[in-house]
Amino acid sequence: MSTPSDLPGARSRRPGRLGIGVIGAGRVGAVLGAALRAAEHAVVGVSAVSEASRERAELLLPGVPVLEIPQILERSELVLLAVPDDALGPLVEGLAKLGAWQPGQLVAHTSGRHGVGILAPIRAAGAIPLAIHPAMTFTGMSLDLGRLADCCFGVTADPAMLPVAQALVVEMGGEPVVVAEGDRVAYHAALAHGSNHLVTIASQAAEILGRIGIENPSAVLGPLLRASLDNALSVGETALTGPVARGDVGTVAAHVEALAELGAAPGGAGSADILDAYRAMARATAVRAERRGMLPAGRRAELERALGGPETDSDADPDAAPGEDR
């Protein structure tokens, strides 16, 4: 079995440096490839199919040849798979059928959802699976490189290879956080819920302000949302405030009425999701506020009635304990 130091080009680099192939010059792959290159690893090839990915590779990985995937695997000691979650399994399996994976080769994917189990075909070929997912949104531009210094990576690997995965993250400037194989989906769900849904909520709030004639919604929302996020990350649910957390039933009812009118107004058909989201998040907030003892007895039931919609007090008992029949 060959080892990384036996692969082509290894002897031309100082000890500990790897020849790295990047599969997928999307926003993540190109940036991580550039970060590893800045750590003095050699990026020996990159795959880039679309015009945008080719431009990104040229910008962030200048001088690196754009190659077909089998060529990259042949040259690489470490292969970085930066492809969409649903494409990862078929790609790995297809290349295994071609006999493209090399014994001793390190193969790291950047998927948040998957651990190393999805890389079983490369393990069967004698290659070494790693999962290193950056918990960050990427622009695909050079400014992302500076942001890696504040970025945690969800790392999953076999115990013997975990230090290798952690070292790669540290070399890119990130902070490795070990995630068990069976916890990867929950880990990814937490990040998607916190990040993606934050964007949805901010966009909905900006749309409401825009609909009532405020010309620069971001100027109004920016300081508030930044402070709310900082407070939530610093002190958790202690930061809960607003009409739901205070149990201001009349205000919540007025919000629901206003948002319903907004959706019914001319041109408001596309805003129907805002009321649905408001109701869902208000209910979740009420549950957490009640759990913390912030609401007077019976106030959550009043909030449920004020919120209306498909989950009213006639359908469910808001005071029931989790798991009780309703």
Side-chain angles (χ1 to χ4, degrees):
M1 177 183 294
S2 62
T3 64
S5 62
D6 298 325
L7 296 173
R11 295 180 180 83
S12 64
R13 294 183 294 278
R14 70 182 180 83
R17 302 302 88 186
L18 299 170
I20 296 175
V22 179
I23 309 300
R27 296 178 180 181
V28 176
V31 170
L32 296 190
L36 289 166
R37 195 183 200 189
E40 300 186 34
H41 294 288
V43 180
V44 298
V46 58
S47 69
V49 178
S50 69
E51 181 178 349
S53 63
R54 286 177 176 271
E55 290 176 356
R56 197 175 292 114
E58 184 177 349
L59 174 67
L60 290 170
L61 298 169
V64 175
V66 176
L67 303 172
E68 297 297 323
I69 292 177
Q71 292 177 286
I72 294 174
L73 266 60
E74 185 178 352
R75 297 179 175 204
S76 301
E77 297 159 278
L78 166 64
V79 180
L80 185 67
L81 298 174
V83 299
D85 288 0
D86 290 348
L88 181 59
L91 174 64
V92 168
E93 187 173 352
L95 290 169
K97 290 179 179 177
L98 293 175
W101 301 113
Q102 302 182 57
Q105 193 170 48
L106 296 168
V107 182
H109 73 70
T110 62
S111 166
R113 169 189 168 190
H114 297 293
V116 294
I118 198 165
L119 299 182
I122 76 107
R123 189 193 297 276
I128 301 166
L130 309 171
I132 52 171
H133 171 258
M136 187 178 92
T137 58
F138 286 76
T139 65
M141 296 186 288
S142 57
L143 60 88
D144 291 337
L145 292 169
R147 293 174 176 171
L148 288 177
D150 296 322
C151 177
C152 289
F153 284 66
V155 172
T156 305
D158 296 344
M161 298 309 299
L162 194 56
V164 175
Q166 293 170 314
L168 288 170
V169 170
V170 170
E171 286 186 321
M172 288 187 282
E175 177 71 24
V177 176
V178 178
V179 181
E181 178 77 15
D183 294 334
R184 291 290 294 202
V185 175
Y187 155 81
H188 193 232
L191 300 187
H193 185 44
S195 176
N196 304 151
H197 297 166
L198 179 64
V199 174
T200 300
I201 291 171
S203 299
Q204 290 177 334
E207 181 179 335
I208 295 169
L209 295 179
R211 291 283 303 279
I212 64 173
I214 293 178
E215 294 184 0
N216 188 0
S218 295
V220 177
L221 291 170
L224 173 65
L225 296 186
R226 292 186 188 98
S228 296
L229 179 59
D230 287 344
N231 290 341
L233 294 176
S234 298
V235 299
E237 288 180 359
T238 304
L240 272 179
T241 186
V244 174
R246 291 192 298 267
D248 292 343
V249 177
T251 299
V252 171
H255 287 177
V256 170
E257 182 179 357
L259 294 176
E261 290 176 357
L262 192 71
S271 303
D273 63 306
I274 297 178
L275 178 55
D276 291 340
Y278 180 91
R279 282 172 165 154
M281 293 308 301
R283 286 192 168 95
T285 300
V287 169
R288 291 181 174 270
E290 183 183 55
R291 191 178 297 158
R292 292 189 63 83
M294 299 172 69
L295 295 177
R299 189 61 56 85
R300 183 179 154 207
E302 295 177 35
L303 287 168
E304 287 280 351
R305 286 190 287 272
L307 288 166
E311 294 182 29
T312 62
D313 190 50
S314 62
D315 299 318
D317 174 12
D319 297 313
E324 287 183 352
D325 293 334
R326 297 182 175 182

